[in-house]
Amino acid sequence: MSSMIEVRQLQKSFGSLDVLKKITFDVNPGEVVAVIGPSGSGKSTMLRSLVHLEEVSGGSILIHGKPLVENGKYAGNADIKEITASMGMVFQHFNLFPHLSVQGNLELAPRTLKRGNPQEIAAKSKELLSKVGLSDKADVYPSMLSGGQKQRVAIARALMLNPDILLFDEPTSALDPELTGEVLRVIRQLAEENMTMIIVTHEMNFARDVADRILFMADGEIAESGTPEQIFGSPRLERTRTFLNQD
Ligand SMILES: Nc1ncnc2c1ncn2[C@@H]1O[C@H](COP(=O)(O)OP(=O)(O)OP(=O)(O)O)[C@@H](O)[C@H]1O
């Protein structure tokens, strides 16, 4: 089985701070990978690098075998656009456009990129709002929604371009505890539909339940990688044990 995502020796520095220290991992089609680890260990930076929101300092990222960056050298703009369009990203703070309705938020990217005619795009947004349980909110503005609803809109928006990879950066960290469940349910449903996903999360129970594999990051490295049983059952490394016991 060929990998959906291949990350090789990925390096990123901010000035003299080495945030990613030659990280290597693969994600297979349909796999759900949860990334856990202490604050500042480089989880967000790794995820943002995959969609070119950060430029890395070295190493390679291949998506569907196509290099976004290879040995530190980036692909041309057209290739970067095409590769990153195959991935949807969901952020901790939703990042919805406040001046657009829910439907407007969903339709902006496909309209800008001319992915279908307006009727097709409207039909798709309707279908996805129904999927996340928000059919009645199409005309509402983000400020009128709860955090859980905003995040479900953000997930629907991330699905508008038919991505085959979804990336989540702490999707429930900004939510009140009673609102996390509705967002995790949507992610769980996507997992059941075999969506390939990388989820940075502090929700250990969710990671244990939904992930096929856990990457534990510490100090810019992947300190451990394994099934939830391997990571949660008998942590081999002292720092993993310490981290998990804090939670
Ligand atoms: N734009 C930036 N400029 C300088 N330093 C940065 C920048 N972005 C991140 N960093 C630093 O890089 C390190 C890794 O940050 P990152 O956000 O990737 O960690 P994280 O594991 O996602 O943490 P958290 O769980 O707190 O979100 C931190 O020390 C952070 O301060």
Side-chain angles (χ1 to χ4, degrees):
M1 184 162 47
S2 63
S3 300
M4 199 85 140
I5 303 175
E6 294 166 63
V7 172
R8 298 278 173 273
Q9 303 280 314
L10 201 66
Q11 280 178 284
K12 171 72 182 172
S13 320
F14 290 108
S16 60
L17 182 68
D18 292 329
V19 177
L20 300 178
K21 302 174 184 168
K22 299 199 172 175
I23 284 187
T24 293
F25 66 91
D26 281 19
V27 180
N28 292 319
E31 200 175 19
V32 178
V33 174
V35 182
I36 64 171
S39 186
S41 57
K43 306 181 298 294
S44 288
T45 305
M46 182 274 286
L47 208 60
R48 292 167 58 81
S49 298
L50 296 180
V51 283
H52 197 230
L53 288 172
E54 301 283 356
E55 291 235 334
V56 297
S57 330
S60 306
I61 299 170
L62 286 82
I63 308 292
H64 291 300
K66 284 191 194 161
L68 174 70
V69 53
E70 196 157 34
N71 298 321
K73 189 174 180 316
Y74 272 89
N77 280 341
D79 284 340
I80 290 178
K81 249 189 198 160
E82 190 196 321
I83 292 166
T84 54
S86 70
M87 292 179 273
M89 175 114 178
V90 175
F91 300 89
Q92 181 176 2
H93 294 289
F94 328 123
N95 294 15
L96 297 177
F97 300 106
H99 61 292
L100 294 176
S101 68
V102 164
Q103 188 173 353
N105 268 276
L106 265 65
E107 295 192 357
L108 184 66
R111 278 177 179 265
T112 308
L113 297 170
K114 301 208 167 47
R115 296 287 184 88
N117 64 40
Q119 291 78 8
E120 288 164 345
I121 293 171
K124 179 90 185 162
S125 72
K126 205 170 163 195
E127 174 200 322
L128 287 173
L129 284 180
S130 156
K131 186 184 176 83
V132 299
L134 294 172
S135 290
D136 54 337
K137 301 293 185 194
D139 299 324
V140 164
Y141 284 77
S143 61
M144 302 299 290
L145 300 174
S146 73
Q149 290 171 333
K150 283 181 195 165
Q151 198 57 302
R152 285 185 283 148
V153 170
I155 294 171
R157 181 178 63 175
L159 290 167
M160 280 298 287
L161 296 177
N162 294 322
D164 35 31
I165 297 166
L166 277 187
L167 307 174
F168 293 87
D169 193 0
E170 301 191 16
T172 59
S173 297
L175 301 179
D176 292 336
E178 71 272 17
L179 298 178
T180 61
E182 62 189 67
V183 171
L184 297 182
R185 265 194 298 281
V186 172
I187 300 175
R188 199 183 298 268
Q189 187 191 338
L190 290 164
E192 282 162 14
E193 294 166 8
N194 289 323
M195 176 63 82
T196 307
M197 296 190 278
I198 304 182
I199 308 167
V200 173
T201 185
H202 287 115
E203 299 277 343
M204 293 304 143
N205 287 331
F206 179 68
R208 191 195 309 238
D209 270 12
V210 89
D212 299 305
R213 193 149 49 95
I214 310 256
L215 301 182
F216 174 68
M217 284 187 69
D219 297 330
E221 295 174 1
I222 294 175
E224 285 203 72
S225 163
T227 62
E229 294 72 33
Q230 288 168 332
I231 298 292
F232 291 106
S234 58
R236 291 178 294 271
L237 294 178
E238 182 62 33
R239 52 187 171 177
T240 316
R241 194 160 39 235
T242 307
F243 174 73
L244 291 173
N245 285 343
Q246 283 167 359
D247 233 71

